Amino acid sequence: MADVRQAQRVNAYFQTETVYAGVGKTTDSPGALSHIGLLDTFDPRMLDHQYAAVSTIGYSVAPHILKGATKVTVPLKIGMWGDGWKTLLGRCIGHTTIDSAVRPAFLTNDIQTIAIVAEEKLATTWQGSLASGVAFNKAELELDFTTNAPATINFDATAYYVVDEATAGTRTAARTFAGDFITGDYSGQTLPSEPTTDPILPADVTIQYATAATNGVTITHGSDTNAYYEVGEKYLLAYLGTGALDTSNFGTSGFYDLTNGSYNTIANINGDIDTDTNYTFAEGSASGNTVNLLKGIYKNGSTIKLADSMTDWPYVKTAKLTIDNQHIPLPGAATGEDSTKKILEYADVARGESIITLEITSTAKDETFYDQMVTGTSLPLVRLDFGTNGSIALTNGRIMSRTAGYAAGTEVAETVTMQFYGAGDFTNYSKYAISGDF
């Protein structure tokens, strides 16, 4: 049999970085590796040197080909298996620490990257690759209820730089990565075990929506009129006018866990906030679960609306959630660990304006979504519930397009595309257009 490259001989693992390209720039030391999930599509070594031809009079073809900035992209599509997808998707949204744990509670302004270690078994040896500064420009989470195939996330990712281990050898030696532009010795790291749970299937996911949010609650700080409140998928946080979390007087260290049985309903949380020093809570006619408060940032005393009711999206065929961060590449000269200098397309990266969209195709049932589109009213809350694996809340969605054409002898399929903007009336409330609890 011919000995050719085979996808089944490839494995990949990752390490989170504390700063952009932390491993490649030696800010982060090589550390524990995590399992990346089901690898569907992957290429850790896609380099484009962006050559440019220089034409000159007197020559039939351009006599000079000059090398431009090196551009590294990392095609990566994974099945949602284990916990790796939570870290990768979370870093695309942006992880923030609340209650001593990191969660993608809202869109952040920073770039959160990982380093990927890939290995491939050749004929008799192993080859390793190390990519640092892998940044997630876009993520597409896709669910196909018609096949019930594992849920997938397709990442549009870029990297600071990537190198191969110069000397292919044993599986351990192939992860040494020494003496190159970026370095990192992973030969002593234990490779992670595969997850023991099954991959997430569309059947494990529930998609719910609300068409109205008419009832509201208010929280008021009696002496700090500049106080404000942030509502996420799991946490309600209170900030003083100084911008500091009110860790002394509000809830537990400045927040309430809305999934906690003591605070999971409007009635339950009412009495607790009323007993907090300086705070009063008014529920008006609102009742229901606190997790259905609209995610956003609110001024002191403003109305925080609550989704009236959450309904299962009927007859879903496919769903695609897209997080498009529109990264801004910052090309520049970089000096490697081997003292060589390179011009890199992604010497650094800035985060752009994110666009959060959800596209759902289902068997058409009624005129609910058509009416929402025609009137221009929003879907105040849509939730993707992954059961024990957490949930994602999308707030204040406008239906950008809706199609439901008729064809003889077939069912009527309806495709609805929504874009989300977050709720509230203070500062950058739009960062809560998406909020995750996983």
Side-chain angles (χ1 to χ4, degrees), residues 296-365:
I297 307 177
Y298 300 86
K299 293 179 182 178
N300 192 49
S302 291
T303 298
I304 305 173
K305 289 189 175 181
L306 178 82
D308 288 353
S309 62
M310 299 296 291
T311 303
D312 287 355
W313 201 293
Y315 311 121
V316 178
K317 293 177 174 294
T318 62
K320 180 169 73 172
L321 169 65
T322 302
I323 303 159
D324 186 355
N325 291 325
Q326 301 190 94
H327 285 171
I328 303 167
L330 302 175
T335 302
E337 290 304 298
D338 58 358
S339 297
T340 62
K341 182 175 287 189
K342 298 182 184 294
I343 305 298
L344 303 180
E345 180 73 9
Y346 300 106
D348 211 336
V349 176
R351 186 158 181 160
E353 181 182 79
S354 297
I355 300 174
I356 310 300
T357 57
L358 178 65
E359 179 184 281
I360 294 180
T361 296
S362 60
T363 300
K365 179 183 178 183

Side-chain angles (χ1 to χ4, degrees), residues 104-141:
F106 49 77
L107 293 165
T108 62
N109 295 321
D110 59 332
I111 301 290
Q112 299 180 0
T113 60
I114 63 170
I116 292 180
V117 175
E119 59 177 9
E120 180 179 5
K121 190 177 188 302
L122 304 177
T124 58
T125 60
W126 289 79
Q127 175 179 278
S129 299
L130 170 63
S132 178
V134 178
F136 303 113
N137 178 52
K138 181 190 289 186
E140 295 175 332
L141 191 161

Side-chain angles (χ1 to χ4, degrees), residues 83-279:
D83 292 328
W85 70 269
K86 299 177 183 179
T87 300
L88 304 191
L89 184 63
R91 294 180 86 77
C92 181
I93 299 169
H95 272 143
T96 188
T97 300
I98 304 174
D99 195 14
S100 301
V102 291
R103 288 181 176 83
F106 49 77
L107 293 165
T108 62
N109 295 321
D110 59 332
I111 301 290
Q112 299 180 0
T113 60
I114 63 170
I116 292 180
V117 175
E119 59 177 9
E120 180 179 5
K121 190 177 188 302
L122 304 177
T124 58
T125 60
W126 289 79
Q127 175 179 278
S129 299
L130 170 63
S132 178
V134 178
F136 303 113
N137 178 52
K138 181 190 289 186
E140 295 175 332
L141 191 161
E142 297 183 272
L143 303 165
D144 188 343
F145 290 83
T146 64
T147 63
N148 206 32
T152 62
I153 306 176
N154 189 14
F155 292 100
D156 171 13
T158 61
Y160 172 71
Y161 200 69
V162 61
V163 297
D164 295 329
E165 171 51 42
T167 305
T170 65
R171 190 176 189 181
T172 301
R175 299 195 304 272
T176 303
F177 308 113
D180 213 323
F181 187 79
I182 62 174
T183 62
D185 189 355
Y186 286 89
S187 61
Q189 299 296 327
T190 301
L191 296 180
S193 301
E194 291 188 348
T196 57
T197 56
D198 291 330
I200 295 177
L201 304 177
D204 302 321
V205 184
T206 301
I207 303 176
Q208 294 186 312
Y209 70 96
T211 57
T214 56
N215 297 314
V217 303
T218 59
I219 306 172
T220 305
H221 191 291
S223 59
D224 189 344
T225 57
N226 293 315
Y228 61 95
Y229 311 93
E230 297 196 10
V231 182
E233 173 67 339
K234 183 173 182 177
Y235 294 106
L236 167 63
L237 305 99
Y239 289 87
L240 300 172
T242 60
L245 193 64
D246 189 357
T247 57
S248 300
N249 299 313
F250 191 84
T252 303
S253 301
F255 62 84
Y256 279 94
D257 179 350
L258 302 180
T259 65
N260 185 304
S262 298
Y263 317 122
N264 63 347
T265 67
I266 298 298
N268 285 347
I269 203 171
N270 185 355
D272 290 278
I273 293 180
D274 272 341
T275 60
D276 288 337
T277 303
N278 298 322
Y279 290 94

Side-chain angles (χ1 to χ4, degrees), residues 56-75:
T56 304
I57 293 174
Y59 288 83
S60 299
V61 298
H64 300 287
I65 305 294
L66 301 183
K67 182 180 176 182
T70 299
K71 180 179 181 180
V72 184
T73 54
V74 185

